[in-house]
Amino acid sequence: MLNIPPGLDPDLLRSFVLVAEGGSVTRAALRVGRTQSAVSMQMRRLEEALGQPLLLRGSRGLSPTPHGLWLLDRARRLLAMHDEIVANFRAPDITGHIRLGSPDDYALFWLPDILAGFAEAHPAAEVEVVCLPTEELLPRFDRGDLDITLFSVGYASHHAGVEGERIWRGPLCWVGSATRPSHLMQPLPLVLSHGGCSWRQAATEALNKAGIPWRMAYSSASQTGTHAVVLAGLGVTVGLSASLPPGLRLLGQEDGMPALPELEIALVSHPGAAAEALAEHIRRGFRSPPATARAA
């Protein structure tokens, strides 16, 4: 049972989640359409209502206190339930075929919960999922071959002149074999996607900056393909921190790997009730950790 005081404004919790996740009042203010001072006031009101400090300022921005971390998990779940109730009562009947694009790098992590929730709310709608790299999804979206698409913000999206709506930001991590020390090989064998991939660009730039020699051992547009090679101990790759297959582990600075930038995921959709309904489910899904992550 969620132990949230009665009468606590969901808008305060929504702003808190955005500040805690992004480490910045300014970024949260842009997301909720308020001024920076208004969001700062919301954070003070929330701390006063709960009687505990929730955020601390450090060298990398704002981060949750222990009480803030406790609240963050529950606020995500409460907001997901709140938004689901509102959406289900306000949403029109959605029918027809919706074409959704997504890189497979994070499709398996987020999409199962999102698609299940959408199917429950709109059983008459059919969703076709197309998993391709960002640089292939965006031209398809521009041609009208996709109604809505997720994409990784980076070289490919900037080159295509696409901004989109930022819906998630989090760490990009090095991934290696749990049993074979391929990260100790020289030059470092990389297992990544092709040249236009923002993850590949982030990895190679980090290695070059750190002065670590590397070679491209294997290229694949599929995360399944990269994981198979890393599981064989033939190289290292990059990915998200959650839901790694058995046999893989995260590699950090203690393993001699340089820091990687954060990953941003964005969303674009064409006008239409069906696309907007699915887009709202996606927004809610990315605000709350998937069931697979909560169970891990």
Side-chain angles (χ1 to χ4, degrees), residues 50-68:
L50 296 176
Q52 296 289 346
L54 302 173
L55 296 163
L56 286 175
R57 184 172 296 281
S59 59
R60 295 189 175 183
L62 294 170
S63 60
T65 65
H67 285 102

Side-chain angles (χ1 to χ4, degrees), residues 174-175 181-190 203 206-214 236 249-260:
W174 293 103
V175 177
S182 51
H183 62 286
L184 300 179
M185 297 179 184
Q186 292 293 332
L188 182 70
L190 297 181
L207 292 170
N208 290 338
K209 185 177 179 180
I212 299 174
W214 57 270
V236 301
R249 72 176 182 93
L250 298 179
L251 302 172
Q253 293 184 356
E254 66 278 9
D255 299 297
M257 305 302 295
L260 289 168

Side-chain angles (χ1 to χ4, degrees), residues 44-105:
R44 287 195 290 272
R45 286 174 53 198
L46 185 60
E47 289 182 333
E48 290 171 0
L50 296 176
Q52 296 289 346
L54 302 173
L55 296 163
L56 286 175
R57 184 172 296 281
S59 59
R60 295 189 175 183
L62 294 170
S63 60
T65 65
H67 285 102
L69 287 172
W70 186 93
L71 176 64
L72 181 60
D73 176 63
R74 289 153 180 81
R76 284 169 172 155
R77 285 184 275 156
L78 185 67
L79 289 171
M81 185 181 298
H82 170 275
D83 293 347
E84 181 182 4
I85 291 171
V86 172
N88 283 348
F89 277 92
R90 291 181 179 176
D93 291 335
I94 301 298
T95 60
H97 189 80
I98 309 168
R99 299 160 300 175
L100 167 65
S102 174
D104 81 334
D105 301 308

Side-chain angles (χ1 to χ4, degrees), residues 215-229:
R215 64 180 178 86
M216 196 58 58
Y218 184 84
S219 294
S220 172
S222 163
Q223 189 177 63
T224 302
T226 58
H227 281 175
V229 177

